[in-house]
Structure formats: structure tokens, C-alpha cells
Amino acid sequence: MSASGNKAVLIGVSGVSSSGKTTLARLLRDIVPNTFILHEDDFYKTDQEIPVNEDGVQDWDCLGSLDLDLLEQALDFIKTHGYLPPNLESKEDKNAVGESGVDRQRVAELKKAARKQLDVKSDVPVFIIDGFLLFSQDMRHIRELFDIKLFLRADHKTVKQRREARTGYVTLEGFWEDPPGYVDSVVWANYAKDHGFLFEDGDVEGKLKDDLCEELRIDTAPLQVQGNMTACVDWAFDRILSHLSKRTAGD
């Protein structure tokens, strides 16, 4: 076990809806030994408890839609015990995720590299938590639980195109489909509100505040990996490998 005393490495993968978080998490699970996934969406409140906005539409993309106490308890449990809390069942894995677009040969190469380079490090389990709202200021108490923070960006046009192409989402009590205009009025609006502090002038399609991201230890995917999941996997793998190597060196 590491000098930190924690029995697991927690990786937060966050960003706007449809930025590739779940796809990246699943690819990394296949590549990095002893890796498991937990989805922030598994901590939604019941359908009846989801807040309703001023337009009378349920807001599944706001802080109030999540059971933050349960999420924090789960993360604490994982860090303390090194495995998932009992009776935590993922509904998110029932939702469809499209093809990753990553060449299978590249995945095989990274998997081979991971097993070679992480041979002595893989005794500590890695848990990847993907979610749309992990790094906001209102989530700082949860944000600081992550050993690695990976932030994915996507522009409004891409988010709108991808999100509106989805058929819907399995919920605790049923199924949700976005009503017309939902991406603009809810998804993107909430993303800008909750993550604007990371960007110059609050423009979430603009320049990041690099000093702040460094202070908060948030690794942000370079612009050139947007829309290129192969490049995104390479970048994320490099960041994880770097952390695990430093962790082992400190044991």
C-alpha cells in the first residue's frame, strides 16, 4: 500500500455532457490493470426528487439532482477499503455508448505498455469516476478526494449534436428523454455556470486559467484531442502512468 495510506487511486473524469467521459473511462478500464468504474449518474436522486426549473422542466444537470452525501460516502469507502461499497449497482452501464472510434490495435498496444510499466504498481486498485459535475466550486469537498483529475472539453456545437442524437437515459424509476431545447437551456447553461470559473472571462469555449487549473491539480485535455478519442486516450494514459509511477516511488 502507498505511503498515503489509501487503498485505492481515485481518478475523476469530468466535463460537459457528451464530451467523451464515459467512453474514455471504459477504454481506460480495459487498458489499465485492476481498474474499475463508478458513474456519477449512479448518484442521481429519485425521479420525483429531480429539481424542476422555472420553465417547468426537470433539471438533470444541476447540483440539486445529485445525492452528494451518498457520492462522498462511496468515495470515502473506496479510498478506505479498496473496493466498491456493497449493494452499489450501476444503472449507468445500461445506457448505450457509441463506438469509441479508437483503433483496436492502439488499445492493445496501450494495454501491453500498461502491464509492462505498471507491473509493480497494479496491486493498488484504480477507480475511475466519470461525471458531468465533479470539479465545480460547489463540489470542492468531493473534488479534493480525487488523486487524478482529468477534464474534457467540447464545444457547444459538438455537445448539441451528440446529445440530441441520444435516445434517452435509464433512470432510477424509468426513462428520461430530453425535451426540445434542453441542451441549450439546461445542459450547456449549467455547464457554463458551474465551470466558468476555470476559464478566462467565464467563456467555457475560450482560454483556460492555467494557473488555477494547476493550483487545483486539474489536468485538462489539450484542445487538439477534442474529437479525437485515440489522442485523448493517449493523453489520459500518460497522466495516469505519471501519477502511478510517482505514487510507487514514494512507497
Side-chain angles (χ1 to χ4, degrees):
M1 192 169 71
S2 76
S4 68
N6 294 324
K7 294 186 177 180
V9 173
L10 291 186
I11 301 175
V13 178
S14 196
V16 64
S17 174
S18 304
S19 57
K21 301 180 299 296
T22 302
T23 299
L24 175 63
R26 291 178 178 177
L27 285 166
L28 291 172
R29 177 182 58 187
D30 292 342
I31 291 168
V32 180
N34 204 17
T35 294
F36 308 87
I37 294 180
L38 190 63
H39 305 282
E40 186 179 37
D41 286 6
D42 289 324
F43 296 89
Y44 272 126
K45 295 177 180 178
T46 65
D47 294 26
Q48 297 301 315
E49 294 176 300
I50 300 300
V52 175
N53 66 19
E54 59 186 15
D55 296 320
V57 176
Q58 283 189 309
D59 185 346
W60 292 82
D61 287 74
C62 70
L63 195 71
S65 67
L66 298 166
D67 188 335
L68 299 182
D69 289 339
L70 187 61
L71 173 58
E72 186 172 7
Q73 290 168 17
L75 297 182
D76 279 332
F77 185 95
I78 291 169
K79 296 200 85 163
T80 301
H81 299 282
Y83 54 86
L84 289 172
N87 304 319
L88 181 61
E89 181 181 358
S90 176
K91 63 164 182 56
E92 174 61 21
D93 279 334
K94 299 175 183 177
N95 287 318
V97 176
E99 289 294 323
S100 69
V102 177
D103 182 72
R104 291 185 178 181
Q105 180 60 36
R106 184 55 183 155
V107 172
E109 291 170 355
L110 289 176
K111 185 181 295 187
K112 183 178 180 180
R115 296 192 181 283
K116 178 180 179 180
Q117 298 182 58
L118 301 178
D119 182 53
V120 297
K121 310 170 183 66
S122 59
D123 60 316
V124 177
V126 174
F127 287 83
I128 300 174
I129 295 83
D130 78 275
F132 68 97
L133 193 59
L134 294 176
F135 302 156
S136 76
Q137 289 292 67
D138 291 329
M139 296 277 284
R140 61 173 64 88
H141 58 297
I142 288 176
R143 182 177 68 205
E144 293 311 310
L145 294 174
F146 296 109
D147 301 294
I148 304 172
K149 307 181 189 82
L150 305 179
F151 185 63
L152 306 186
R153 286 179 282 178
D155 57 52
H156 176 268
K157 180 180 179 181
T158 299
V159 170
K160 188 176 179 68
Q161 181 182 36
R162 291 177 179 174
R163 176 89 180 211
E164 291 183 347
R166 293 182 176 178
T167 56
Y169 303 85
V170 175
T171 68
L172 281 176
E173 300 170 324
F175 193 77
W176 166 263
E177 293 182 81
D178 292 344
Y182 191 81
V183 174
D184 292 329
S185 64
V186 177
V187 176
W188 190 261
N190 279 332
Y191 169 63
K193 175 176 65 69
D194 292 321
H195 298 87
F197 77 102
L198 293 172
F199 295 82
E200 298 290 349
D201 301 319
D203 179 7
V204 292
E205 291 187 285
K207 187 180 185 303
L208 282 160
K209 295 179 180 177
D210 294 328
D211 290 345
L212 179 59
C213 289
E214 183 176 353
E215 177 187 337
L216 298 178
R217 297 184 297 108
I218 296 176
D219 283 311
T220 303
L223 286 174
Q224 58 265 33
V225 313
Q226 284 188 206
N228 185 337
M229 187 52 68
T230 299
C232 190
V233 170
D234 283 340
W235 163 77
F237 178 73
D238 178 72
R239 302 314 305 145
I240 293 170
L241 181 64
S242 175
H243 175 86
L244 293 181
S245 297
K246 292 177 182 177
R247 179 187 178 95
T248 300
D251 284 355

